[in-house]
Amino acid sequence: MNIVVTGAAGFIGSEIALRLLREGHSVTGIDCFTPYYDIKLKEDRAARLAAFANFRLARSRVEDAETMERVFERVKPDVILHFAAQAGVRYSLDHPREYIDANVVGSFNIIDLARRHKARHLILASTSSAYGANQKFPFEERDSAPYPLTIYAATKLAGELIAHSHSHLYGVPTTVLRFFSVYGPWGRPDMAFFLFTDKIFKGQPIDVFNNGDLLRDFTYIDDLVESIRRLMDVPPQQGSHIIRGDSLSPVAPYRLVNIGHAAPVRLLDYIEAIETAIGRKAVKNMLGMQPGDVKQTYADVRLLKALTGYTPNTDYRDGIARFVDWYRGYYKPE
């Protein structure tokens, strides 16, 4: 297949692109290498992809409609994986405009190009943050999500709605994926698992919000990639419900799918796993609840299993140990 992966130098985009390249597909990656976090890490992720003859990279923002048009005209993709985004819940509190540009304008550009180039399957990354103030657990794809708590979540919901309207109007088979706290090797330095590891190695205190009274449905990167790869082969078909409670739209070939481990872990237990893998204790700075944060995330993954026969299964202690091993090899801390 000819496949476009936006955000190809990002954590998730680079991992799924690597999987597809190893399978022999032609992959065109799009990334603008923003300095939101360490650009060297992004360049090193991209270098792994550049080792393949079947990979091409376009350095551009997805907000740049003219450049996106040229890329899509050249590639004529069969499948589009749209993972480019301005990520991060806390960063959105102070930089809302960047989220509007990347996550709304940029996503519209990709969604509209999927329509105009008649892609066989459009897959968009969304987030468990979209469930916002929802207090029904586990989060099910058909749950109402009218109360986003951050600009980040609101822009992701906007992308979901734009994609649905295009799917309804133009028949683009579209799958939206809501990710739950993804972690693992080559991860993002702004995420808790990475920050904790980095600070513990450096002997610096870690900030623990809500005094550690948080539950997260942590999802290991390899499990996420396996789930995405299987979902690529099952584009939605209008009227073709898989299970009772399927999120398939009644008016479009459009579906929402959670990807999570479906086993929430206490934040303090997660920190303990990092301490065990590193071999030293953290100095904890216990803080109150962070604005825009939620106390618990918990994915219902019955639909994922029905569609793919697969659900994430990596124990968080094993996943953390693998991440810490990667961190040691990449950063070589003393």
Side-chain angles (χ1 to χ4, degrees):
M1 292 185 287
N2 287 328
I3 302 168
V4 164
V5 178
T6 72
F11 177 27
I12 295 169
S14 65
E15 291 296 320
I16 186 63
L18 191 62
R19 167 73 177 266
L20 295 168
L21 289 166
R22 286 170 174 164
E23 291 181 4
H25 302 288
S26 295
V27 176
T28 296
I30 299 170
D31 207 290
C32 62
F33 295 81
T34 64
Y36 169 59
Y37 61 80
D38 181 17
I39 292 180
K40 181 181 183 303
L41 180 59
K42 297 181 180 184
E43 293 285 0
D44 288 346
R45 293 190 192 122
R48 295 188 302 159
L49 308 180
F52 290 82
N54 46 331
F55 177 73
R56 298 182 71 176
L57 176 64
R59 291 177 178 257
S60 175
R61 293 179 178 272
V62 289
E63 303 97 291
D64 182 347
E66 291 185 3
T67 299
M68 291 302 98
E69 176 60 49
R70 289 196 294 271
V71 171
F72 276 69
E73 183 61 37
R74 182 184 76 240
V75 176
K76 302 188 185 311
D78 302 302
V79 176
I80 301 164
L81 304 177
H82 177 43
F83 298 143
Q86 179 55 60
V89 170
R90 296 186 179 107
Y91 188 73
S92 70
L93 302 177
D94 299 319
H95 304 82
R97 175 68 63 180
E98 295 177 32
Y99 290 76
I100 299 297
D101 293 342
N103 301 356
V104 179
V105 176
S107 291
F108 169 77
N109 288 341
I110 301 303
I111 292 164
D112 198 49
L113 285 164
R115 166 186 70 88
R116 290 193 279 123
H117 290 273
K118 297 179 170 55
R120 298 205 310 249
H121 196 180
L122 169 64
I123 296 178
L124 289 88
S126 189
T127 172
S128 61
S129 296
Y131 289 105
N134 190 345
Q135 292 298 306
K136 171 185 166 291
F137 301 104
F139 295 154
E140 188 177 354
E141 291 90 347
R142 294 202 308 167
D143 290 343
S144 178
Y147 304 117
L149 299 179
T150 63
I151 286 291
Y152 169 62
T155 58
K156 283 296 193 176
L157 281 166
E160 293 181 7
L161 295 172
I162 293 167
H164 179 267
S165 68
H166 262 56
S167 182
H168 165 63
L169 292 170
Y170 308 112
V172 180
T174 303
T175 301
V176 172
L177 310 177
R178 286 183 175 169
F179 299 153
F180 284 71
S181 300
V182 185
Y183 72 101
W186 296 96
R188 286 194 354 238
D190 64 312
M191 295 186 74
F193 72 93
F194 203 122
L195 286 168
F196 292 159
T197 300
D198 187 62
K199 288 180 180 295
I200 293 170
F201 267 116
K202 293 175 179 176
Q204 299 172 354
I206 64 173
D207 290 340
V208 182
F209 292 104
N210 205 41
N211 297 301
D213 184 21
L214 298 171
L215 285 166
R216 289 291 180 268
D217 199 347
F218 294 104
T219 312
Y220 188 62
I221 183 63
D222 290 1
D223 291 339
L224 185 83
V225 168
E226 183 65 27
S227 300
I228 295 168
R229 181 62 190 90
R230 294 186 184 214
L231 285 166
M232 285 175 62
D233 295 333
V234 283
Q237 298 178 14
Q238 189 173 341
S240 180
H241 289 78
I242 302 298
I243 59 171
R244 180 184 292 274
D246 192 344
S247 63
L248 184 71
S249 167
V251 294
Y254 171 99
R255 177 182 276 125
L256 277 171
V257 183
N258 288 334
I259 305 181
H261 191 261
V265 176
R266 284 196 328 137
L267 182 59
L268 291 177
D269 291 338
Y270 196 67
I271 293 170
E272 183 179 352
I274 297 173
E275 292 172 326
T276 299
I278 295 174
R280 67 180 71 167
K281 288 289 186 180
V283 178
K284 301 181 184 70
N285 182 23
M286 308 303 273
L287 300 172
M289 194 72 167
Q290 179 83 349
D293 217 344
V294 296
K295 286 194 68 173
Q296 179 177 354
T297 62
Y298 184 0
D300 184 316
V301 294
R302 289 175 296 171
L303 181 56
L304 174 64
K305 184 173 183 179
L307 288 165
T308 67
Y310 179 81
T311 54
N313 53 43
T314 301
D315 184 90
Y316 73 94
R317 287 160 290 225
D318 295 333
I320 283 295
R322 294 174 202 166
F323 169 71
V324 171
D325 284 346
W326 170 83
Y327 181 98
R328 281 195 173 100
Y330 187 80
Y331 290 102
K332 298 178 173 52
E334 294 183 4

